[in-house]
Amino acid sequence: MRGPVRGRWELLGGLVRAAGRGDALSRHELLSVRGHSAAWLFPLLMLVGIAVADVTTNVFQIIAWTVLVPGVAAAICGVWSTAVFAVLSTAVYMMADLVWKHREETGMAGLLLVALGGVVAVGVAAVRVGGERRMLHMRDIAETTRRTVLRPLPVGFGGLDHAAVYLSADSEARVGGDFYDIQPGPHGTRVLVGDVQGKGLGAVETAAALLGTFREAGYHEADLATVAERLETRMVRHREHTAALGRADGDRFATAVLIGFPPGPADAMDIADAVDCVVFGHEPPMAVGPRGVRLLPVVGGLPLGMAELAPTGRSGTPPVHRLHLAEDETLLLVTDGVTEARDPAGVFYRPADDIALALAADPRSAVPARLVSLVRDGTLRHCRGRVADDTTVFAVRRTPAGREPSGGG
């Protein structure tokens, strides 16, 4: 009997090791019916099936299976439910030993095996449930961090129709080095979209520092060039601070696009089509409208934190460009998670091609909410769902006069 018992302990051990793995939220959703847990049904049906099969057939040996029931419960049920199944399994085994008495394999050794397996399963369930609670707590912290760095943007915020999609390369952290925000103020509404070099908590910290400066400078400063200078200064100060701490990421930089929508009524043509733009080493924005996609004539400059590398006699801060958009055109800004997405053959994704096809089929694809969904789906389809870098798709335009904003993604 040593061989079979050893094999059963190894199988139980496999269930024990699997108990702590997996996504707790996904498991709970799959094992719930109308919001109520139904996880207990599987081990219950398993135990009943074992008992019935043992009584009515000569195929199963009850010792080979009842010990697994609390192990299965430990993987999907709570601590108390697992304890109940441990007791039930022991009781079923005792029924087989004392009442049915038609199995030579039953006896004290088998009873101890079932009882000990139940005790181990209860302990495993306690460890698993504790780990899931800690994981859910960490998810709550990550979600709070994400909402702090990438704060929720109300529909129609700052008189803009906007939508955004953010995909973190780190599915556990749920936030990375990409950042975006809208800041309305007395001097118009400013938009910032960018990407911090590198990954990890250092990138998140840098993004938070830049967004904090943008929210203050974007509100108070009348000149968009001054806002750009404040962002450059903040990046340098942050880098000096991390270097003074002796951290290895002291040479971090960031690419970004700073957009300024001048103040004024939406029906004033000299204001409605005017947009100011500063590009810090980032992919320039695209203008997307019912008539197609066009690249905007923007000359980019150095990334944030690298102004000192500018040639002598030339400002390290990129220039401000005045652009003109049609009323129904949307500005599309993406990070390198989109532009550097590759398929298995190594071919880069070209979002403009997908957008042009979608516009030809339906001009309403230029609406921000539809546009970001289109680019997101195209990116994931192109790279087969394997996002190698943080990915942001941001679309924004003035809310057309007399229309309600379409809502953010």
Side-chain angles (χ1 to χ4, degrees), residues 81-120:
S81 298
T82 303
V84 169
F85 281 110
V87 173
L88 288 176
S89 297
T90 304
V92 168
Y93 184 89
M94 293 180 66
M95 290 286 292
D97 190 31
L98 301 177
V99 179
W100 301 324
K101 296 182 178 179
H102 65 289
R103 291 280 185 257
E104 296 180 357
E105 292 81 5
T106 57
M108 183 58 66
L111 178 62
L112 291 176
L113 176 64
V114 174
L116 184 58
V119 172
V120 172

Side-chain angles (χ1 to χ4, degrees), residues 45-55 60-62 65-66 69:
L45 292 175
M46 182 179 178
L47 183 61
V48 172
I50 291 171
V52 171
D54 184 79
V55 172
F60 294 103
Q61 297 179 2
I62 198 167
W65 298 95
T66 52
V69 173

Side-chain angles (χ1 to χ4, degrees), residues 14 27 37 79 92 109 143 162 208 214 217 223 250 282 312 329 344 372 394:
R27 181 166 57 248
S37 176
V79 177
V92 168
E143 181 66 17
H162 62 84
F214 166 73
D223 189 357
H282 197 86
T312 304
E329 282 189 314
V372 296
F394 191 91

Side-chain angles (χ1 to χ4, degrees), residues 18-360:
R21 295 198 297 264
D23 190 320
L25 290 176
S26 300
R27 181 166 57 248
H28 290 166
E29 291 174 357
L30 290 173
L31 299 175
S32 297
V33 178
R34 296 182 179 180
H36 299 283
S37 176
W40 54 271
L41 280 174
F42 182 73
L44 179 61
L45 292 175
M46 182 179 178
L47 183 61
V48 172
I50 291 171
V52 171
D54 184 79
V55 172
T56 59
T57 72
N58 293 319
V59 176
F60 294 103
Q61 297 179 2
I62 198 167
I63 185 57
W65 298 95
T66 52
V67 69
L68 301 179
V69 173
V72 172
I76 59 177
C77 298
V79 177
W80 286 108
S81 298
T82 303
V84 169
F85 281 110
V87 173
L88 288 176
S89 297
T90 304
V92 168
Y93 184 89
M94 293 180 66
M95 290 286 292
D97 190 31
L98 301 177
V99 179
W100 301 324
K101 296 182 178 179
H102 65 289
R103 291 280 185 257
E104 296 180 357
E105 292 81 5
T106 57
M108 183 58 66
L111 178 62
L112 291 176
L113 176 64
V114 174
L116 184 58
V119 172
V120 172
V122 172
V124 169
V127 173
R128 194 207 84 231
V129 170
E132 288 182 353
R133 288 174 179 171
R134 288 190 295 272
M135 183 196 71
L136 294 175
H137 180 63
M138 293 303 297
R139 283 203 168 192
D140 289 340
I141 294 175
E143 181 66 17
T144 301
T145 301
R146 186 188 69 82
R147 294 175 66 87
T148 300
V149 177
L150 303 178
R151 61 180 180 176
L153 300 175
V155 175
F157 193 45
L160 301 181
D161 188 2
H162 62 84
V165 168
Y166 178 82
L167 303 174
S168 175
D170 187 343
S171 60
E172 295 299 324
R174 309 185 73 182
V175 66
D178 285 10
F179 56 91
Y180 60 85
D181 202 4
I182 297 175
Q183 182 57 59
H187 310 293
T189 301
R190 276 69 187 265
V191 175
L192 180 67
V193 177
D195 179 12
V196 176
Q197 174 264 332
K199 299 179 181 180
L201 294 178
V204 177
E205 181 184 359
T206 304
L210 290 173
L211 286 173
T213 297
F214 166 73
R215 289 161 187 166
E216 291 301 312
Y219 181 88
H220 292 287
E221 300 294 345
D223 189 357
L224 192 67
T226 305
V227 179
E229 292 172 358
R230 292 278 299 275
L231 289 171
E232 172 65 27
T233 302
R234 185 67 183 94
M235 185 71 224
V236 172
R237 289 175 53 205
H238 178 76
R239 195 169 64 184
E240 290 175 348
H241 178 258
T242 55
L245 292 174
R247 286 166 42 178
D249 59 350
D251 59 347
R252 197 183 295 275
F253 61 88
T255 64
V257 177
L258 177 63
I259 304 290
F261 290 85
D267 57 355
M269 292 305 297
D270 59 334
I271 295 296
D273 67 346
V275 175
D276 294 325
C277 180
V278 181
V279 177
F280 296 91
H282 197 86
E283 186 76 15
M286 291 184 288
V288 181
R291 291 164 298 282
V293 185
R294 62 189 181 95
L295 299 179
L296 297 174
V298 179
V299 178
L302 294 170
L304 288 166
M306 302 183 69
E308 61 185 14
L309 300 179
T312 304
R314 184 180 301 177
S315 173
T317 304
V320 178
H321 294 269
R322 173 59 62 94
L323 307 173
H324 295 276
L325 303 175
E327 183 182 10
D328 55 1
E329 282 189 314
T330 298
L331 278 177
L332 175 65
L333 303 102
V334 300
T335 60
D336 55 9
V338 175
T339 57
E340 296 182 5
R342 302 189 187 193
D343 63 11
V347 178
F348 288 104
Y349 176 55
R350 296 171 59 88
D353 295 341
D354 280 355
I355 296 172
L357 291 174
L359 290 172

